[in-house]
Amino acid sequence: MANSKRIIVLGAYVSDATFRAERMPKLGETIIGQSFKFGPGGKGSNQAVASARLGSNVSFISRLGDDAFAKMAYELWKEEGVEPLIVTDLEKGTGSACIYVDTHKGSNAITIVPGAALNICAADIEQFKYSIQSGSIFIAQLETPLDATIRALEISRQSSLTTILNPAPAVKLDRQILSLVDYLIPNEIEAELLTGIEVKSIEDARVASVRLIDLGCHASIITLGEKGALFNNGQSISIIPAPQIREVIDTTGAGDCFCGAFAHAMLQNLPPLEAVQFACNAAAISTTQQGAANSMPSIDDVNNLINFEN
Ligand code: ATP
Ligand code: RIB
């Protein structure tokens, strides 16, 4: 029987301009890069695409400008089967991001201008209140205004949705918001900003995860790049190693893939620890492809991971 449960994502869509080069230019310097690609990004949209590509029903709440980038967003979501719940902003254009990928390591540095997504407001959330209430899992990040995110988390909590917050880009958060979060999914940098604990090792992540629970979230999952992820549900702590990947091409969107895949696995009623393992596998695969939304794996890719690795 088809699963009628739904994931609701609030966040930004932006167009990613990605430059691949052997290193990043220093301020004031010009370097010759290796390649350029233009494609769909924005953490929220990437997470929505990740869940949908794995087979979940997904709705995406955002604001877009009235422009060519917005058309690209609608085409993407149509192709991926993501339901758009969009307000058209007449003041700001659809956002964009400039991404540098280091071709040696596959790692990146990103500047994002969220554009219209910065005008998402609590009234938009009220407009889509019934859609949120009809969902099972709610996900947000921090590329959209905090007041709207808090309102959406409150509605989700009142309606018993499972709430996931990916606190990216890194921002300090107080107990008011963290106590509305069932699963907080920061990377090492975000965990450090939230806790004041430098996260350089698994042991550091263990200490930071305890602090995150003290700060009010129900459970924390700190993503640790090639080291995998650390899960703390307030009772026990588990380390979930990442599968070994032969060649990392581009980690852009790996964190988004992790969040979208975790939500998908939770929607399938997997126990949280198994959902983290599933998310680690999906995110590892995403690092083998260029791009953000374009790098999200299908469910067959994840199921075939063992063949994939060999
Ligand atoms: P990004 O900003 O590059 O999208 P992030 O900093 O938000 O990523 P990471 O912790 O780097 O998040 O990666 C998220 C997840 O992706 C990790 O928990 C891991 O499961 C997977 N991953 C990332 N890098 C690798 C790698 N080199 N090998 C295997 N898995 C990886
Ligand atoms: O997490 C990766 C994403 O961050 C990119 O797609 C970029 O648009 C920024 O939002």
Side-chain angles (χ1 to χ4, degrees), residues 47-155:
Q47 293 174 18
V49 169
S51 301
R53 219 174 256 188
L54 290 164
S56 283
N57 297 315
V58 183
S59 303
F60 182 59
I61 302 173
S62 194
R63 270 192 186 234
L64 297 175
D66 185 8
D67 49 30
F69 286 180
K71 286 201 184 81
M72 286 168 57
Y74 284 115
E75 276 163 26
L76 170 78
W77 300 327
K78 190 172 176 196
E79 197 167 314
E80 302 292 343
V82 172
E83 180 196 31
L85 301 175
I86 301 298
V87 175
T88 299
D89 195 275
L90 300 176
E91 186 206 352
K92 289 187 190 323
T94 305
S96 47
C98 178
I99 304 183
Y100 284 99
V101 176
D102 176 319
T103 50
H104 290 298
K105 301 179 198 139
S107 49
N108 63 60
I110 303 177
T111 301
I112 170 181
V113 177
L118 280 185
N119 279 351
I120 296 173
C121 59
D124 296 348
I125 303 302
E126 296 303 331
Q127 181 179 334
F128 298 122
K129 183 174 176 179
Y130 295 114
S131 297
I132 297 174
Q133 289 173 326
S134 68
S136 301
I137 295 180
F138 173 79
I139 319 181
Q141 323 72 33
L142 299 176
E143 290 181 338
T144 52
L146 212 50
D147 59 339
T149 307
I150 291 173
R151 184 66 196 122
L153 283 167
E154 284 170 352
I155 293 170

Side-chain angles (χ1 to χ4, degrees), residues 43 105-108 110 166 168 186-190 222-229 240-245 248 250-258 276 279-287:
K43 293 182 192 300
K105 301 179 198 139
S107 49
N108 63 60
I110 303 177
N166 172 220
N187 68 9
E188 289 143 301
I189 294 169
E190 293 139 16
I222 302 180
T223 64
L224 302 165
E226 63 187 9
K227 294 195 281 296
I240 298 88
Q244 289 277 310
I245 290 299
V248 173
D250 180 0
T251 65
T252 310
D256 298 332
C257 183
F258 187 99
V276 175
C280 276
N281 290 345
I285 296 169
S286 77
T287 68

